[in-house]
């Protein structure tokens, strides 16, 4: 596609000089010399000297432009056939060719005049005038075509020159004009596609359904027409290819000449370019058509949203009008019925709103481009639905409370009336006797017990219960009822005092009774709060029965059991913590012993002269590559500092924090690991390693033990995590958390280093780029303001897969490649593609349409990189690190 759009238009095409070509004073037959040099023949032509210079130059220039650059660079062979002419014609031909031939010459063959006198003159003339022709190549005078066959094979010569090469000048002109016409068709088609693509890219999306439908229809029709043009162009090229190959198709013994083969290659290349153009166009159209369809979906969604929103707003307005909570049971019941009717009326718009919100979420899940526009509307629809539902529930709750309140007030009022009736019904004369007074007291006490059923005996509690609905009118009603209750209660109190006096006059003195245990000063109960869930019924006796001390004792027993249980849990936690430390110490001892056995049993043996004959040549002098800095790791762990922590677990975290700088040796070991594994794959089956393994009595081969350091660094962070679980909120928790964070940083640093060493193609030194902060894979789009518009730009929606390395000074863009190594698992490498200096970049944290995208740009957004992370969390992490780098640079400048 690029070649079609950028290649320069040749100054001449066959159709421009068709008449001159038909005169056939010079031909490109397709024959080649022994070294592949193209042959141009100047056949017998009576009026050669009469050909205008411009016509001659145009034809020769055109013929020299047809062969490939590779063939033309060898140099052209010219054959001048003047057997029937005179020496003057030979001289004129050589003079004209020497003065106007535009190509690189290799040889010039002249078939001299056949008549005796002219041949003699030619022999003399060529000797006299050779220098006048100003040709830097040999001019070979030939007496006959048989002499020519000694220089050029017959298969490369036409029949006129005694050869077997089939050549038809009219057919040759037809093929050339057809090929050039097809090339122009391909270029024109590509330009049409580019123009259409540019128009599509610059088209503004409509804001209503009808315009969007019309635009989608218009673009689809235009696309169909262009596809038809493409099909015609492909058909034209296929037909042309068939015509050129027709001799081979017709006869199996026939072979195409070199020029015809180049014609075939040219048409095939043009067809391939046409196919590439079509693919790029189809890919862009697919994206654009999808965007138009999504735009239409969005406009329908927005239209439906406006209608549903209007219905919901009317519904919410109607609901807001229901402010009355009623002033009586009858009124509240009527309001509840109206609320029910409104709820039923709202079901249809609510269902439409929920359905539309669900549709919007499906659009988001299908990667709709207008996520930022759709999501707020979905949220708004669900919010209004939830508001209506919650408000409806709130209305029901309020009306329910109001109904309950008015029912209680009615019951309280009825109770007051019943109480007044009871007091009025007690005959005074019957209450004068002890029995009558006691009977009246019992009636009053039974009646007063029913006051608790009305929950009005505690006004404060009553007000708290119905505070949400206490309007001034209802408050006045409540106060009236409470006042009435107070008046009735006062009447009962006075009646009870009177009746008790009457009953006491005829009552004997009562013998004194010993005080209950709870009132004895010698057995004062301790103040113990009863725990939640401990019942005072069942197994525990209620305090009313005089067993308060027993209850208190049982409460104390329960508290002691709780403390005992808590003590047990603490001991279990401590035991588990010590178990972890013991496991760490024991595995550390084993780890150190394994490192020592590897160094003494393998590494040292590589220097043993007695075993030198067993070591493969590829392994000699490679001990540092195979083992890396394993001796340094062994020296670090052989100090046994961890064993000092068994008596005091808090020291373990401090030990890790103290040695966190030294733990960086693992990063160096892991960086060397790929080289070590490659060497092991090459030499691991050698007798040397088998002999060492036999002496050590190891069940596993060396490569398993060389993985131990990688596994060990992971083991530390797992054990620290377990210790942290057992030490929550203890004195050493903070240090454990810091130690764990240190180990995680080391593991991340090791992991980043393993990726960094796989960078290839970067000409600079990555160690000069500062600290490696982050690395990871992303989808990347680029947007450049400068540069030519190309048809391949139609495919710009397709992202590049790039692996990014963020340093304090530079951001590297690499392409991840995975290769199988000798049948082993794939190893990744990162091919360098581009870099941005962090001192020159800017960042846009949010990209409209996708909350996982952000932009990195520089030089006034002349070059913009749109980066899409796999998740919002990963994007935020990268933005945070980049922001830190840019902020640090700003502070440094200040």
């Amino acid at each position: 596609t690029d070649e079609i759009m950028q290649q320069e238009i040749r100054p001449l095409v066959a159709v421009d000089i068709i008449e001159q070509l038909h005169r056939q004073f010079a031909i490109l037959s397709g024959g080649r010399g022994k070294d592949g040099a193209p042959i141009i023949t100047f056949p017998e032509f009576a009026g050669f000297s009469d050909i205008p210079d411009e016509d001659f130059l145009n034809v020769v220039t055109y013929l020299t432009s047809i062969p490939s650059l590779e063939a033309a660079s060898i140099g052209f062979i010219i054959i001048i056939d003047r057997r029937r002419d005179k020496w003057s014609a030979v001289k004129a031909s050589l003079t004209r060719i020497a003065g106007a031939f535009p190509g690189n010459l290799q040889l010039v063959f002249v078939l001299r005049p056949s008549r005796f006198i002219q041949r003699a003159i030619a022999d003399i003339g060529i000797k006299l005038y050779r220098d006048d022709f100003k040709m830097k190549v040999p001019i070979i005078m030939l007496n006959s075509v048989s002499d020519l066959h000694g220089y050029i094979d017959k298969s490369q010569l036409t029949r006129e020159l005694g050869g077997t090469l089939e050549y038809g000048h009219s057919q040759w002109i037809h093929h050339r004009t057809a090929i050039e016409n097809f090339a122009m068709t391909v270029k024109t088609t590509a330009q049409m596609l580019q123009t259409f693509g540019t128009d599509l890219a610059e088209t503004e999306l409509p804001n209503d359904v009808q315009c969007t439908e019309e635009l989608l229809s218009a673009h689809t029709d235009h696309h169909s027409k262009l596809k038809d043009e493409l099909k015609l162009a492909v058909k034209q090229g296929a037909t042309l290819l068939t015509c050129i190959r027709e001799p081979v198709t017709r006869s199996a013994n026939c072979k195409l000449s070199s020029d015809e083969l180049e014609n075939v290659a040219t048409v095939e290349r043009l067809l391939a370019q046409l196919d590439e153009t079509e693919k790029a166009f189809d890919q862009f159209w697919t994206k654009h058509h999808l965007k138009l369809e999504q735009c239409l979906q969005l406009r329908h969604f927005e239209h439906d949203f406006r209608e549903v929103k209007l219905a919901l707003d009317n519904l919410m307005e109607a609901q807001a009008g229901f402010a009355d909570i009623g002033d009586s049971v009858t009124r509240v019941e009527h309001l509840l019925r109206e609320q029910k009717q409104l709820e039923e009326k709202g079901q249809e718009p609510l269902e439409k709103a929920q359905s539309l919100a669900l549709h919007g979420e499906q659009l988001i899940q299908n990667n709709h481009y207008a996520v930022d526009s759709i999501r707020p509307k979905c949220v708004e629809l669900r919010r209004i639905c939830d508001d209506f539902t919650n408000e409806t529930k709130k209305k029901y709750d309020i009306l329910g409370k109001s109904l309950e309140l008015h029912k209680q007030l009615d019951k309280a009022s009825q109770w007051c009336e019943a109480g007044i009736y009871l007091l009025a019904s007690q005959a005074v004369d019957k209450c004068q006797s002890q029995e009558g007074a006691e009977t009246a007291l019992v009636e009053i006490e039974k009646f007063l017990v029913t006051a608790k059923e009305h929950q009005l005996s505690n006004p404060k509690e009553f007000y708290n219960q119905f505070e949400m609905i206490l309007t001034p009118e209802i408050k006045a009603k409540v106060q009236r009822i409470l006042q009435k209750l107070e008046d009735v209660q006062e009447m009962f109190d006075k009646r009870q005092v009177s009746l008790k006096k009457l009953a006491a006059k005829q009552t004997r003195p009562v013998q004194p009774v010993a005080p209950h245990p709870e009132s004895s000063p010698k057995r004062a109960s301790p103040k113990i709060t009863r725990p939640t869930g401990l019942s005072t019924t069942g197994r525990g006796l209620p305090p009313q029965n005089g067993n308060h001390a027993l209850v208190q004792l049982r409460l104390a027993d329960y508290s002691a059991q709780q403390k005992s249980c808590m003590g047990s849990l603490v001991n279990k936690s401590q035991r588990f913590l010590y178990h972890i430390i013991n496991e760490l110490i024991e595995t550390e001892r084993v780890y150190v012993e394994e490192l020592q056995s590897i160094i003494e049993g393998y590494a040292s043996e590589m220097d043993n002269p007695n075993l030198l004959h067993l070591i493969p040549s590829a392994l000699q002098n490679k001990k540092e590559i195979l083992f890396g800095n394993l001796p340094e790791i062994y020296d670090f762990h052989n100090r046994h500092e961890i064993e000092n922590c068994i008596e005091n677990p808090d020291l373990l975290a401090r030990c890790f924090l103290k040695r966190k700088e030294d733990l960086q040796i693992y990063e160096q070991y892991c960086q060397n690991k790929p080289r070590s594994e490659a060497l092991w794959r090459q030499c691991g089956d050698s007798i040397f390693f088998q002999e060492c393994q036999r002496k050590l009595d190891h069940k596993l081969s060396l490569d398993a033990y060389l993985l131990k350091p990688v596994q060990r660094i992971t083991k530390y962070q797992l054990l620290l995590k377990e210790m942290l679980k057992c030490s929550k909120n203890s004195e050493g928790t903070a240090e454990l958390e810091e130690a764990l964070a240190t180990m995680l940083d080391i593991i991340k640093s090791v992991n980043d280093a393993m990726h960094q060493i796989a960078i290839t193609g970067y000409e600079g030194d990555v160690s000069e780029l500062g600290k490696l902060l982050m690395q990871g894979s992303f989808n990347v789009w680029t947007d450049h303001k400068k540069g030519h518009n190309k048809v391949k730009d139609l495919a710009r929606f397709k992202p590049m897969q790039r692996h990014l390395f963020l340093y304090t000074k530079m951001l590297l863009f690499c392409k991840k490649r995975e290769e199988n190594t000798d049948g082993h698992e794939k190893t990744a490498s990162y091919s360098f593609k581009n870099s941005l200096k962090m001192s020159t970049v800017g960042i846009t944290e949010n990209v409209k349409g996708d909350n996982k995208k952000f932009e990195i740009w520089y030089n006034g957004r002349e070059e913009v990189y749109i980066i899409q992370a796999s998740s919002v969390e990963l994007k935020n992490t990268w933005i945070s690190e980049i922001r830190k780098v840019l902020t640090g640079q700003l502070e440094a400048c200040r």
Side-chain angles (χ1 to χ4, degrees):
T1 307
D2 292 345
E3 184 177 349
I4 298 174
M5 299 306 300
Q6 294 181 348
Q7 66 184 357
E8 294 182 359
I9 300 174
R10 293 193 178 100
L12 290 173
V13 290
V15 72
D16 296 333
I17 55 172
I18 193 71
E19 293 181 5
Q20 294 89 323
L21 290 175
H22 274 298
R23 298 179 70 181
Q24 204 174 341
F25 60 83
I27 64 172
L28 185 70
S29 62
R32 298 292 172 95
K34 294 179 180 180
D35 56 355
I39 298 173
I40 295 179
T41 303
F42 290 85
E44 294 281 353
F45 191 83
F48 186 82
S49 59
D50 299 328
I51 298 173
D53 290 342
E54 181 181 359
D55 292 351
F56 176 83
L57 181 61
N58 285 343
V59 170
V60 175
T61 301
Y62 177 74
L63 294 180
T64 56
S65 69
I66 293 174
S68 65
L69 293 176
E70 181 181 359
S73 65
I74 298 173
F76 288 86
I77 295 175
I78 291 180
I79 300 175
I80 304 174
D81 186 3
R82 293 293 181 265
R83 288 174 290 176
R84 299 179 184 177
D85 219 326
K86 300 177 182 180
W87 159 246
S88 60
V90 174
K91 181 181 177 182
S93 299
L94 288 173
T95 301
R96 172 167 274 183
I97 292 170
F101 192 83
N104 180 26
L105 280 174
Q106 186 187 94
L107 283 174
V108 177
F109 293 100
V110 180
L111 286 169
R112 71 181 76 192
S114 58
R115 286 177 291 178
F116 179 78
I117 296 176
Q118 291 299 324
R119 179 178 298 180
I121 295 173
D123 289 341
I124 297 171
I126 194 67
K127 293 178 182 179
L128 295 175
Y129 295 98
R130 181 182 296 272
D131 293 336
D132 294 343
F133 298 138
K134 297 180 181 180
M135 289 190 179
K136 297 180 181 179
V137 297
I139 300 174
I140 301 174
M141 303 295 290
L142 303 173
N143 293 325
S144 64
V145 292
S146 60
D147 292 343
L148 180 61
H149 297 163
Y151 294 93
I152 301 174
D153 192 88
K154 289 183 179 181
S155 64
Q156 303 300 315
L157 296 171
T158 61
R159 295 187 182 275
E160 288 78 6
L161 297 177
T164 60
L165 180 64
E166 294 290 339
Y167 174 76
H169 192 61
S170 297
Q171 186 185 49
W172 181 88
I173 293 176
H174 174 70
H175 284 175
R176 289 307 309 167
T177 54
I179 290 171
E180 290 166 357
N181 183 43
F182 178 57
M184 183 57 66
T185 299
V186 171
K187 184 172 183 178
T188 303
T189 303
Q191 289 173 341
M192 288 168 57
L193 295 180
Q194 181 183 5
T195 301
F196 182 52
T198 302
D199 292 340
L200 296 186
E202 294 175 354
T203 300
E204 291 186 3
L205 298 177
N207 292 323
D208 60 270
V209 173
Q210 182 179 353
C211 291
T212 305
E213 289 177 341
E214 292 173 354
L215 182 65
L216 179 59
S217 176
H219 283 188
T220 303
D221 291 342
H222 197 170
H223 169 260
S224 299
K225 292 178 182 178
L226 287 176
K227 288 291 287 185
D228 291 339
E229 293 286 342
L230 275 169
K231 290 178 182 178
L232 287 175
V234 172
K235 185 177 180 181
Q236 178 186 349
T239 303
L240 177 57
L241 199 59
T242 303
C243 291
I244 298 174
R245 289 174 172 168
E246 192 271 336
V248 178
T249 307
R250 186 177 65 250
S251 174
N253 296 326
C254 183
K255 293 184 178 179
L256 298 178
S257 68
S258 298
D259 285 354
E260 288 172 328
L261 290 174
E262 287 187 357
N263 287 343
V264 170
T266 299
V267 175
E268 288 178 340
R269 176 173 56 83
L270 289 170
L271 283 170
Q273 291 170 354
L274 198 60
D275 181 65
E276 182 182 347
T277 302
E278 184 176 11
K279 287 179 180 177
F281 175 72
D282 286 344
Q283 189 174 11
F284 174 74
W285 169 253
T286 300
K287 297 285 186 182
H288 179 75
H289 187 257
L290 175 61
K291 191 163 188 178
L292 281 180
E293 288 184 332
Q294 288 185 343
C295 178
L296 185 58
Q297 292 171 347
L298 177 63
R299 300 308 173 225
H300 279 298
F301 177 82
E302 291 173 340
H303 178 266
D304 295 340
F305 172 80
R306 287 191 290 269
E307 289 185 348
V308 172
K309 179 71 163 51
L310 180 61
L312 291 178
D313 289 343
N314 293 334
L315 192 65
M316 292 297 291
E317 185 178 355
Q319 189 182 60
F322 281 86
D324 189 6
I325 61 174
D327 56 357
S328 66
V329 172
T330 305
R331 176 58 180 167
V332 173
E333 289 175 344
H334 173 73
L335 292 173
L336 282 169
R337 287 192 295 270
E338 287 186 341
Q339 183 63 41
K340 184 66 176 177
Q341 292 173 356
L342 179 64
E343 184 182 20
E344 292 173 352
K345 178 183 176 183
Q347 286 305 307
E348 183 179 354
L350 287 175
E351 289 174 359
K352 286 184 177 180
Q354 294 288 359
S355 177
L356 186 59
L358 181 61
H359 176 59
E361 289 170 355
Q362 289 173 346
L363 293 178
I364 294 172
Q365 291 175 1
N366 292 333
N367 298 320
H368 197 286
Y369 71 89
V371 172
D372 291 343
S373 175
I374 297 172
R375 182 174 283 116
K377 292 180 174 61
C378 294
V379 172
E380 177 71 0
L381 290 173
R382 295 201 182 280
R383 183 193 64 78
I384 296 176
C385 291
D386 291 341
D387 288 350
F388 180 83
T389 302
N390 294 334
E391 193 65 22
T392 300
K393 184 178 180 300
K394 184 179 178 181
K395 292 286 186 183
Y396 276 123
D397 291 341
I398 291 175
L399 290 174
K401 282 284 185 183
S402 179
L403 184 62
E404 181 183 355
L405 170 67
H406 289 294
K407 285 184 176 180
Q408 287 196 31
L409 291 177
D410 288 352
K411 287 177 66 176
S413 181
Q414 293 170 5
W415 182 84
C416 289
E417 297 297 330
I420 295 171
Y421 177 79
L422 174 63
L423 293 175
S425 63
Q426 289 181 340
V428 178
D429 55 340
K430 292 183 179 180
C431 296
Q432 297 302 314
S433 64
Q434 179 183 357
E435 183 179 355
E438 288 177 349
T439 301
L441 280 171
V442 170
E443 289 177 349
I444 291 173
E445 287 173 356
K446 285 183 179 180
F447 184 80
L448 291 176
V449 169
T450 63
K452 295 180 180 179
E453 297 175 5
H454 308 297
Q455 299 179 356
L456 294 178
S457 56
N458 188 339
K460 184 177 180 181
E461 182 180 334
F462 182 84
Y463 276 110
N464 290 337
Q465 181 182 358
F466 296 104
E467 183 179 7
M468 60 188 296
I469 60 170
L470 289 179
T471 63
E473 294 78 12
I474 294 178
K475 274 187 177 181
K477 182 176 180 180
V478 171
Q479 289 173 355
R480 289 196 302 271
I481 301 297
L482 288 175
Q483 185 61 48
K484 189 174 183 180
L485 284 169
E486 185 178 346
D487 294 341
V488 172
Q489 185 66 46
E490 184 179 356
M491 293 169 63
F492 275 112
D493 291 341
K494 292 180 178 179
R495 178 64 61 88
Q496 282 179 312
V497 171
S498 300
L499 292 174
K500 286 178 180 179
K501 289 181 179 179
L502 291 172
K505 290 180 180 180
Q506 288 91 17
T507 305
R508 294 182 184 180
V510 181
Q511 294 294 327
V513 181
H516 289 298
E518 64 269 25
S519 61
S520 174
K522 296 181 181 180
R523 300 187 62 181
S525 301
K527 295 182 178 179
I528 299 177
T529 304
R530 183 174 59 185
T532 303
L534 183 61
S535 175
T536 58
T537 60
R539 292 179 59 188
L541 298 176
Q544 289 88 339
N545 291 342
N547 292 303
H548 185 61
L550 179 59
V551 173
Q552 299 244 353
L553 182 59
R554 290 187 177 178
L555 289 175
D557 290 342
Y558 178 83
S559 178
Q561 289 174 3
Q562 276 192 318
K563 291 180 180 179
S564 175
C565 180
M566 287 298 293
S568 174
L569 287 175
V570 170
N571 291 335
K572 286 180 181 178
S573 177
Q574 289 176 344
R575 285 199 297 273
F576 189 59
L577 181 60
Y578 281 114
H579 170 74
I580 295 173
I581 297 175
N582 283 330
E583 179 186 356
L584 175 60
I585 292 173
E586 289 302 318
T587 55
E588 185 75 7
R589 288 172 180 166
V590 174
Y591 177 51
V592 172
E593 291 172 0
E594 288 176 341
L595 294 179
Q596 183 179 7
S597 68
I598 293 170
I599 294 170
E600 295 177 355
Y602 286 98
S604 298
E605 291 295 285
M606 290 184 69
D607 299 325
N608 187 346
N610 298 327
L611 297 178
L612 188 62
H613 65 286
L614 299 178
I615 300 177
S617 58
L619 186 62
Q620 292 180 2
N621 301 321
K622 300 288 181 63
K623 182 169 69 174
E624 288 76 12
I625 295 178
L626 183 63
F627 296 98
N629 63 331
L630 198 66
E632 186 181 359
I633 295 176
Y634 169 71
D635 292 340
F636 170 71
H637 287 276
N638 197 31
R639 300 172 188 174
H640 303 295
E641 292 187 9
I642 293 181
E643 294 184 4
N644 300 328
C645 305
I646 191 168
E647 297 298 332
N648 188 353
D650 294 340
L651 293 176
L652 185 63
R654 298 174 192 170
C655 180
F656 276 98
L657 293 174
K658 176 183 176 184
R659 306 299 300 278
K660 66 179 180 180
E661 297 296 334
D662 297 333
L663 285 168
Q664 298 295 330
I665 56 177
Y666 279 93
E667 181 177 341
Q668 180 182 347
Y669 183 82
C670 292
Q671 285 178 336
N672 180 68
K673 200 72 179 70
R675 300 172 63 203
S676 173
E677 290 176 348
L679 187 60
W680 173 258
R681 286 195 294 269
Q682 186 179 0
C683 309
D685 296 332
S686 68
I687 299 175
F688 169 75
F689 289 120
Q690 295 175 9
E691 181 65 18
C692 292
Q693 184 176 349
R694 184 189 63 77
K695 288 182 180 179
L696 292 171
D697 195 23
H698 280 182
K699 295 181 180 179
L700 302 175
S701 58
L702 174 62
D703 60 325
Y705 290 96
L706 291 177
L707 278 174
K708 296 289 184 178
V710 181
Q711 298 167 345
R712 192 62 185 169
I713 199 72
T714 306
K715 179 74 171 177
Y716 288 142
Q717 61 105 359
L718 293 176
L719 289 173
L720 286 170
K721 282 182 179 179
E722 293 299 321
M723 290 181 65
L724 193 58
K725 290 179 182 178
C726 303
S727 306
K728 283 294 184 183
N729 303 321
S730 64
E731 184 178 346
T733 299
E735 290 182 330
L736 275 174
E737 289 177 344
E738 187 177 356
L740 176 58
T742 298
M743 293 308 303
L744 292 175
D745 286 343
I746 292 173
I747 292 174
K748 178 184 179 298
S749 179
V750 167
N751 183 52
D752 289 345
M754 294 291 286
H755 287 276
Q756 176 180 266
I757 62 174
I759 297 176
T760 61
Y762 180 70
E763 295 182 357
D765 186 355
V766 294
S767 63
E768 297 177 357
L769 303 181
K771 182 180 179 182
L772 177 58
L773 304 174
M774 301 284 287
Q775 55 83 24
S777 295
F778 297 87
N779 290 332
V780 178
W781 292 261
T782 60
D783 185 7
H784 300 270
K785 288 186 178 180
K786 292 186 178 180
H788 301 289
N789 290 330
K790 303 175 183 179
V791 172
K792 70 178 182 181
D793 289 340
L794 299 176
R796 65 186 179 277
F797 287 102
K798 183 178 181 181
M800 298 177 291
Q801 304 300 317
R802 291 292 181 262
H803 200 91
L804 273 58
F805 293 85
L806 175 63
Y807 296 87
T808 53
K809 297 181 180 179
M810 193 83 75
L811 178 64
L812 300 187
F813 291 79
C814 300
K815 184 173 183 179
K816 185 176 182 181
R817 304 182 188 277
E818 292 185 343
E819 300 177 356
N820 288 324
T821 308
D822 300 332
H824 292 75
E825 63 181 2
K826 292 182 178 180
T827 57
S829 64
Y830 302 97
S831 176
F832 171 75
K833 293 296 181 183
N834 193 18
S835 64
L836 298 176
K837 290 183 179 180
M838 294 304 294
S839 59
T840 63
V841 303
I843 183 172
T844 303
E845 298 184 7
N846 295 301
V847 176
K848 185 176 181 181
D850 193 338
N851 57 1
K852 294 183 288 187
K853 288 181 181 178
F854 62 99
E855 290 180 347
I856 294 179
W857 47 268
Y858 73 96
N859 199 13
R861 295 184 66 85
E862 180 179 295
E863 212 169 294
V864 179
Y865 294 83
I866 303 171
I867 300 172
Q868 183 186 53
S870 58
S871 65
V872 177
E873 292 76 15
L874 180 61
K875 166 198 164 182
N876 292 336
T877 302
W878 273 73
I879 286 176
S880 176
E881 285 297 327
I882 294 173
R883 194 188 299 119
K884 288 179 184 177
V885 173
L886 300 182
T887 303
Q889 292 173 351
L890 181 60
E891 291 176 353
C893 291
R894 288 174 177 170

